[in-house]
Amino acid sequence: QKEVEQNSGPLSVPEGAIASLNCTYSDRGSQSFFWYRQYSGKSPELIMFIYSNGDKEDGRVTAQLNKASQYVSLLIRDSQPSDSATYLCAVKSSSNTGKLIFGQGTTLQVKP
Amino acid sequence: DTAVSQTPKYLVTQMGNDKSIKCEQNLGHDTMYWYKQDSKKFLKIMFSYNNKELIINETVPNRFSPKSPDKAHLNLHINSLELGDSAVYFCASSQDPIQPQHFGDGTRLSIL
């Protein structure tokens, strides 16, 4: 089992729709969760982090965390073509080094 | 001003050569990282320094050696380059090992 798993996609949604990106993780002790967006040929850009169970909203983006199910998701409302990118889920290890473990990323395509 | 800057942006070299990549951050962060992103876009931690002290040293060949002359700089030296070293190397920094990480633009290393 991979430490952080994402569906590689591509996930294709029409413009204006809600895009739902999912991530599961294996380390039950993990406490910090991050979503990065990476455009082709560019560096990962932090778009959201969440530490507590429940929802965290920032503009059109909502992160959801369920530690009991070891599941974290990212919802993008009113999707725009500019949202087309690879979304990387990252989970901070519970080890004392606190290393960040990335999933393989989900490619999102928003079609006009 | 670029927060986390890496040089060079592109590095093309022959197998067997030795090369260095430099990273500097002007965010006043205490923690810096090196990541490798392979051709399948999988992003993996290599090293991390906190206040110039090595805190993460993943299983990488000992041909890779990080050096942190001060908190704002973390360089990566690679000896005897091999074809499999071709990848994009990202530097990142964070306020401390817990806080979110911010990435540089990456160095694309190509081995001929």
Side-chain angles (χ1 to χ4, degrees):
Chain A
Q1 181 189 4
K2 291 180 184 173
E3 293 177 279
V4 179
E5 290 208 58
Q6 296 180 254
N7 187 327
S8 60
L11 172 66
S12 185
V13 300
E15 185 175 355
I18 296 175
S20 177
L21 305 158
N22 304 315
C23 172
T24 58
Y25 60 94
S26 60
D27 184 350
R28 277 204 172 274
S30 295
Q31 299 293 323
S32 306
F33 307 86
F34 306 86
W35 283 97
Y36 286 83
R37 177 177 62 203
Q38 187 173 25
Y39 292 111
S40 181
K42 300 295 186 183
S43 61
E45 175 192 3
L46 179 70
I47 56 171
M48 184 67 86
F49 57 90
I50 186 167
Y51 302 147
S52 304
N53 275 331
D55 295 359
K56 179 181 178 183
E57 184 176 321
D58 183 4
R60 294 187 294 115
V61 177
T62 298
Q64 298 175 318
L65 174 61
N66 184 327
K67 291 182 183 178
S69 299
Q70 294 173 247
Y71 176 91
V72 57
S73 64
L74 189 74
L75 300 177
I76 305 174
R77 290 179 296 282
D78 188 23
S79 295
Q80 301 296 310
S82 58
D83 295 326
S84 299
T86 296
Y87 289 80
L88 302 171
C89 172
V91 177
K92 193 160 281 280
S93 164
S94 60
S95 72
N96 57 6
T97 64
K99 73 177 182 180
L100 203 55
I101 302 166
F102 283 82
Q104 72 269 36
T106 298
T107 299
L108 173 66
Q109 296 174 346
V110 181
K111 305 210 168 187
Chain B
D1 286 342
T2 304
V4 182
S5 59
Q6 297 179 227
T7 54
K9 194 172 176 65
Y10 299 97
L11 187 51
V12 181
T13 189
Q14 304 263 1
M15 219 165 39
N17 284 349
D18 303 338
K19 290 294 178 187
S20 291
I21 307 172
K22 295 187 176 182
C23 179
E24 176 181 4
Q25 54 93 5
N26 62 6
L27 297 168
H29 288 171
D30 286 345
T31 313
M32 296 184 72
Y33 311 81
W34 277 112
Y35 285 87
K36 178 180 180 181
Q37 188 168 44
D38 60 24
S39 57
K40 294 183 179 177
K41 308 301 181 188
F42 187 58
L43 195 60
K44 190 163 187 217
I45 181 74
M46 299 174 69
F47 303 103
S48 176
Y49 274 74
N50 185 50
N51 277 320
K52 301 197 299 174
E53 179 186 349
L54 182 66
I55 59 170
I56 296 176
N57 186 356
E58 287 296 288
T59 309
V60 298
N62 56 16
R63 299 182 293 104
F64 290 79
S65 54
K67 280 193 172 51
S68 181
D70 56 58
K71 287 197 308 183
H73 295 85
L74 180 61
N75 304 321
L76 183 65
H77 188 76
I78 315 170
N79 288 328
S80 303
L81 281 156
E82 299 177 358
L83 288 175
D85 297 333
S86 295
V88 181
Y89 292 84
F90 286 103
C91 177
S93 74
S94 62
Q95 185 63 55
D96 57 47
I98 307 292
Q99 298 304 318
Q101 298 174 22
H102 300 273
F103 285 76
D105 289 339
T107 295
R108 186 173 296 275
L109 174 63
S110 300
I111 310 301
L112 303 177

